[in-house]
Amino acid sequence: MSLSVGAVNNLNQNANAVSFGQRKANKAKNAMVGTLIALSPMAMNSCDKDEWLSAKAVAVAVAENNNNNCDSTKHHGCGCDCHGYYIKPDTIVKHDSIPYPVIVPGDTVYIKDDYKSPVIDTLNVILDDVGVDKNRGYVPLRVTFIDEMDNKYRRNLFDGRSSGIDQVVYRSTRTPFNDALGRYIVGSADDDREAYFLSLTQDGRLYATHMVPKAGTEGKDSLALNDYVMGPDNFVFDRDRAAKLVRKFSEARGQAGLEYAGTYEKGDLPKSIMITNPYGTQWRYTDVNVISGDPYKSEQ
């Protein structure tokens, strides 16, 4: 499986993305890339241009000196065209035989002005295929759900500082259930961290490169992209428009071609996705929640 020419160029050369070994001369400037900075909305100057229906959050510009200084070194590598959206904390109560809360901390997610990507377009269509409510925004900024297979809470955050046109980056965590406290502790040391680089194949299918932390980085509070290495499997997602489902294919290291890995489709419960593996076993992603946002429009 080969990526499109644009995706390959973006992976290695795109100035809007952070790639491996690139910009070594600017390493200090980009030291904050990949770090999600938790900011109080009261501490940020409001650049309110649109209200999010789902989260009722306020769009804010993360800047210094009242947004008058456009030095990109003081905007975490984004320059003046990168804004931060604050997503307020959520409390989700799962109604099951044993009810338990999921406390999701607030996040600051960055996005560039006038941002558009064919990868995001394809991702949005796939979310529609499996019946996920994306709300009204263009970019899925935070996607969360509980995986019934391993009973872990998964949070995927859009990394707008590292994403370009042909490659989109999501930082992900998998949080195990804490039996002692009877809840998920999102953002704890027990989280497994990973990243996904999304691009398009030459025939327009969604390609997910799975990234895992390098050995020895487990204790770090935050990870830059060069702290990750490629995981054992990458994935291709192929839409079946007629059946309204998405087929998943795995591309393992050293493997010739793709291996069928099952399907995703709308679940039988509200806010759920049904997964079927190649052997017919089924389980769900439950409590699927997507918060989306629109990029700012530049003044030009």
Side-chain angles (χ1 to χ4, degrees):
M1 173 57 59
S2 60
L3 302 183
S4 65
V5 173
V8 173
N9 289 340
N10 188 76
L11 179 64
N12 295 311
Q13 299 175 3
N14 193 320
N16 289 328
V18 178
S19 59
F20 302 105
Q22 194 174 358
R23 296 185 187 171
K24 289 185 179 179
N26 296 330
K27 184 176 181 181
K29 180 182 75 173
N30 291 328
M32 292 302 295
V33 171
T35 303
L36 292 169
I37 304 173
L39 298 176
S40 167
M42 297 298 293
M44 294 186 287
N45 297 318
S46 176
C47 284
D48 188 8
K49 294 188 178 181
D50 196 11
E51 184 184 37
W52 295 2
L53 180 63
S54 59
K56 298 186 185 300
V58 177
V60 295
V62 177
E64 299 179 18
N65 299 327
N66 295 322
N67 251 355
N68 292 324
N69 187 343
C70 287
D71 183 355
S72 64
T73 63
K74 296 183 179 181
H75 287 256
H76 316 301
C78 276
C80 288
D81 65 338
C82 190
H83 296 276
Y85 290 85
Y86 182 76
I87 303 176
K88 73 174 185 177
D90 286 344
T91 301
I92 303 169
V93 178
K94 180 178 174 61
H95 297 283
D96 204 340
S97 55
I98 303 176
Y100 53 84
V102 179
I103 310 299
V104 185
D107 299 306
T108 299
V109 181
Y110 296 89
I111 188 170
K112 298 179 177 71
D113 284 0
D114 303 313
Y115 181 73
K116 292 282 290 183
S117 168
V119 183
I120 291 292
D121 295 336
T122 301
L123 176 60
N124 280 331
V125 173
I126 286 176
L127 291 174
D128 288 336
D129 286 342
V130 296
V132 172
D133 182 7
K134 306 187 307 297
N135 302 303
R136 64 176 182 173
Y138 171 65
V139 180
L141 298 175
R142 185 171 73 188
V143 181
T144 59
F145 55 89
I146 296 171
D147 189 338
E148 287 184 338
M149 176 61 72
D150 58 13
N151 199 29
K152 289 186 177 181
Y153 185 83
R154 300 198 179 193
R155 179 176 56 154
N156 303 276
L157 290 174
F158 172 73
D159 184 349
R161 290 174 297 190
S162 303
S163 296
I165 296 174
D166 297 316
Q167 178 182 284
V168 176
V169 179
Y170 278 86
R171 305 300 186 104
S172 302
T173 55
R174 294 183 297 162
T175 303
F177 187 72
N178 189 307
D179 291 315
L181 297 178
R183 53 174 279 199
Y184 293 97
I185 313 297
V186 180
S188 72
D190 293 328
D191 285 350
D192 294 323
R193 289 179 288 178
E194 54 194 1
Y196 290 91
F197 290 2
L198 305 182
S199 58
L200 297 181
T201 63
Q202 291 178 335
D203 57 359
R205 294 183 291 176
L206 187 67
Y207 188 93
T209 303
H210 182 205
M211 309 297 292
V212 296
K214 291 179 181 177
T217 63
E218 294 84 357
K220 296 181 67 172
D221 292 334
S222 60
L223 296 177
L225 287 190
N226 58 7
D227 288 323
Y228 288 91
V229 295
M230 191 175 294
D233 292 281
N234 298 322
F235 306 100
V236 173
F237 297 91
D238 190 12
R239 298 177 57 220
D240 185 330
R241 297 170 179 82
K244 280 290 184 180
L245 58 79
V246 178
R247 291 183 173 85
K248 179 181 180 181
F249 297 87
S250 172
E251 182 185 52
R253 287 183 182 176
Q255 175 180 297
L258 296 172
E259 181 178 344
Y260 175 66
T263 61
Y264 294 79
E265 58 188 313
K266 184 177 181 179
D268 56 344
L269 298 176
K271 301 180 69 173
S272 71
I273 299 172
M274 183 67 73
I275 298 99
T276 304
N277 72 9
Y279 308 102
T281 302
Q282 293 187 316
W283 71 96
R284 304 180 191 88
Y285 292 159
T286 61
D287 299 297
V288 180
N289 185 49
V290 178
I291 294 178
S292 299
D294 289 317
Y296 281 91
K297 299 298 181 183
S298 66
E299 300 298 330
Q300 299 177 355

